[in-house]
Amino acid sequence: VIAQYAATVSEFDTTSLAKRATTAVGDYPEGIEAASDGRSVLVVNWESNTVQRIDAETLKVTGSADAADGPRGFGSFVWRQS
């Protein structure tokens, strides 16, 4: 779950809905999606103009890429490692 004003992504237990962890991300996250490999989550940050990759096991940000001004994340994301 993204928290726009807090600039965080939180993980919740799907059975109890208890919060398990929170990861700091860029300013004003706007969209989130599980990557197709199942090993990471991608988040688009509107105010900081970035896309970040979060490792699904460690919940640490493992990559960041610049985006155009004011990005929004809806639909399928594509992450290409350079």
Side-chain angles (χ1 to χ4, degrees), residues 5-81:
Y5 297 122
T8 60
V9 172
S10 295
E11 176 192 27
F12 289 83
D13 181 279
T14 57
T15 302
S16 69
L17 299 181
K19 186 187 294 187
R20 299 170 93 182
T22 300
T23 303
V25 294
D27 294 334
Y28 214 81
E30 274 285 313
I32 190 168
E33 180 182 349
S36 60
D37 65 6
R39 292 182 274 164
S40 57
V41 174
L42 302 171
V43 61
V44 174
N45 304 301
W46 184 45
E47 285 290 319
S48 53
N49 300 321
T50 58
V51 179
Q52 291 178 297
R53 183 179 55 215
I54 300 170
D55 183 283
E57 283 191 38
T58 67
L59 302 178
K60 305 274 187 221
V61 175
T62 59
S64 185
D66 291 335
D69 190 35
R72 300 285 166 69
F74 302 98
S76 297
F77 296 9
V78 176
W79 180 275
R80 184 183 345 217
Q81 189 70 31

